């Protein structure tokens, strides 16, 4: 008597699952290349999330994470009662918004301008020059900024003196320090960020421009009605990612340039976590601050992505 065939849902593999396995096998080389990135995020990003438990415990190095006593939201209550915390929270928001408002549009504008350049040699030269600062670490960049902006012997202030003006404390005056942070960040990173926009612009169909020229559209019309709509999805995705990282105000840059004289305007959440967690040894309090920042970033990311999807864009998920 013949044995009945196994049912797909119980003992066998269903046709849909089999199709997925075949597709994975056919693209096995791509998944193999993706494996190092997956392992990186698992080891250095997802596994350390276990350490977030420190924020809810009275952490002791000798007892470890599991052996330390639970204190619930005690560290958060203490944190929210500190006037210092709300000052650094405000500093983080202000600096991040400055970076977003002034730093986000500039790479797009530069990419649009370079896209209109027809001299290939000039275009490549400009791209190389504006990309170079990205590869310079903030330690070296900090030394360059000190040599340029220092009150005593700085190139910029020497020029101001020679013109009859008074030296400006770009790095020591609270009125100028935030502006110095924002513009030095833009100087360092805007060239690198243009790469994504240049790649998106390379995918625009040239026939659209040819048809627009035949219809009498000038250069600005072509940019407004063809170029920007074609790369809108790229702009939206990058904007979502920037909003999702709004609480990241640039630890390395500020850590290199700031000092106690400008703490009132430059001390951000990341630098506060560094001082409290590593310098003072308050690991639980520092973990609470970091967890609070991560929750804010996640919330902003979800809101920005939801708004993008309502506008007809795909978003990032």
């Amino acid at each position: 008597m013949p044995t009945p065939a196994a049912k797909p849902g119980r003992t066998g593999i269903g046709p849909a699952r089999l199709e997925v396995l075949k597709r994975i096998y056919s693209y096995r080389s791509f998944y193999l290349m993706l494996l190092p990135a997956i392992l990186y995020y698992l080891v250095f990003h997802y596994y350390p999330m276990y350490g977030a438990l420190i924020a809810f415990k009275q952490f002791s190095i000798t007892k470890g994470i599991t052996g330390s006593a639970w204190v619930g939201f005690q560290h958060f209550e203490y944190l929210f009662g500190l006037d210092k915390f709300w000052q650094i929270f405000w500093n983080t928001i202000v600096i991040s918004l400055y970076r977003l408002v002034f730093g986000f549009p500039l790479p797009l504008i530069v990419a649009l301008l370079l896209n209109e350049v027809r001299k290939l040699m000039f275009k490549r030269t400009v791209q190389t020059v504006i990309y170079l600062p990205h590869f310079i670490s903030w330690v070296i960049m900090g030394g360059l900024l000190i040599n340029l902006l220092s009150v005593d012997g700085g190139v910029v202030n020497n020029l101001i003196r020679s013109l009859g003006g008074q030296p400006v404390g770009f790095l020591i005056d609270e009125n100028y320090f935030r502006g110095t942070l924002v513009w030095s960040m833009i100087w360092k990173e805007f060239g690198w960020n243009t790469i994504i926009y240049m790649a998106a612009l390379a995918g625009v169909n040239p026939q659209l421009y040819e048809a627009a020229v035949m219809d009498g559209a000038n250069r600005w019309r072509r940019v407004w009605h063809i170029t920007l709509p074609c790369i809108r999805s790229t702009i939206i995705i990058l904007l979502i990612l920037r909003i999702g990282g709004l609480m990241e105000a640039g630890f390395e840059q500020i850590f290199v340039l700031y000092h106690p004289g400008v703490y009132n305007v430059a001390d951000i959440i990341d630098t506060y976590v560094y001082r409290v967690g590593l310098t003072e040894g308050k690991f639980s309090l520092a973990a609470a601050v970091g967890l609070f920042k991560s929750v804010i970033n996640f919330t902003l990311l979800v809101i920005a992505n939801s708004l993008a999807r309502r506008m007809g864009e795909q978003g990032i998920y």
Side-chain angles (χ1 to χ4, degrees):
M1 187 172 181
T3 304
K7 295 182 179 181
R10 296 180 180 178
T11 58
I13 299 177
R17 185 175 298 180
L18 184 61
E19 183 66 25
V20 171
L21 293 176
K22 288 182 179 179
R23 186 178 301 175
I24 292 176
Y25 182 78
S26 62
Y27 291 100
R28 60 189 180 277
S29 58
F30 294 100
Y31 286 107
L32 186 62
M33 289 188 291
L34 187 62
L35 184 60
I38 295 176
L39 292 176
Y40 167 79
Y41 278 97
L42 288 176
V43 173
F44 295 104
H45 290 268
Y46 287 96
Y47 178 72
M49 288 182 181
Y50 171 71
L53 291 175
I54 297 175
F56 305 96
K57 292 192 170 190
Q58 192 61 46
F59 178 70
S60 172
I61 296 179
T62 57
K63 296 180 180 180
I65 297 178
T66 56
S68 300
W70 281 95
V71 295
F73 291 93
Q74 177 180 329
H75 297 298
F76 292 93
E77 294 174 358
Y78 172 77
L79 184 67
F80 296 151
L82 293 175
D83 293 335
K84 177 66 176 176
F85 172 75
W86 295 112
Q87 181 183 5
I88 64 173
F89 178 77
W90 176 250
N91 289 340
T92 305
I93 293 296
V94 171
I95 293 175
S96 296
L97 287 177
Y98 283 167
R99 293 172 59 142
L100 178 64
V101 171
F102 296 103
F104 183 79
L106 187 59
L108 174 60
I109 295 173
V110 174
L112 292 174
L113 293 175
L114 289 176
N115 188 57
E116 298 297 324
V117 175
R118 294 294 174 259
K119 297 291 184 180
L120 188 59
M121 182 62 67
F122 177 78
K123 184 176 181 179
R124 290 179 176 177
T125 302
V126 173
Q127 287 177 323
T128 303
V129 171
I130 64 177
Y131 293 167
L132 285 178
H134 170 78
F135 299 99
I136 302 176
S137 69
W138 274 115
V139 176
I140 299 175
M141 186 66 73
L144 292 174
L145 290 174
I146 291 173
N147 289 331
L148 289 172
L149 304 176
S150 175
V151 175
D152 299 323
V155 175
V156 175
N157 277 309
N158 285 341
L159 179 61
I160 293 175
R161 286 193 185 94
S162 65
L163 296 176
Q166 295 295 324
V168 179
F170 294 103
L171 298 176
I172 61 176
D173 192 334
E174 294 182 354
N175 296 322
Y176 296 98
F177 191 80
R178 281 178 180 167
T180 304
L181 286 178
V182 173
W183 289 112
S184 59
M185 181 279 300
I186 293 174
W187 173 38
K188 185 177 186 298
E189 298 295 341
F190 86 93
W192 178 258
N193 291 333
T194 58
I195 292 177
I196 300 176
Y197 292 116
M198 293 296 293
L201 290 171
V204 179
N205 190 348
Q207 294 181 354
L208 296 176
Y209 294 113
E210 295 174 2
V213 172
M214 294 181 64
D215 289 338
N218 58 28
R219 182 164 296 181
W220 293 110
R221 290 287 185 181
R222 296 197 297 269
V223 170
W224 184 257
H225 293 287
I226 298 177
T227 306
L228 289 178
C230 287
I231 65 172
R232 184 177 63 179
S233 59
T234 302
I235 298 173
I236 293 296
I237 290 176
L238 293 178
L239 182 60
I240 291 173
L241 294 176
R242 287 292 298 271
I243 293 176
L246 192 66
M247 301 301 291
E248 306 290 340
F251 169 75
E252 294 182 12
Q253 177 192 16
I254 296 177
F255 184 73
V256 169
L257 295 175
Y258 86 148
H259 51 82
V262 292
Y263 275 179
N264 289 334
V265 297
D267 199 15
I268 61 172
I269 291 179
D270 290 333
T271 55
Y272 182 74
V273 168
Y274 169 81
R275 289 202 315 276
V276 172
L278 296 181
T279 306
E280 300 179 12
K282 299 178 181 178
F283 301 106
S284 296
L285 184 61
V289 179
L291 184 59
F292 172 77
K293 184 190 74 171
S294 299
V295 170
I296 296 296
N297 277 338
F298 177 75
T299 304
L300 291 173
L301 180 64
V302 172
I303 293 174
N305 189 77
S306 300
L307 292 176
R309 294 179 67 88
R310 290 183 180 181
M311 294 171 59
E313 298 295 331
Q314 293 183 351
I316 59 175
Y317 64 86

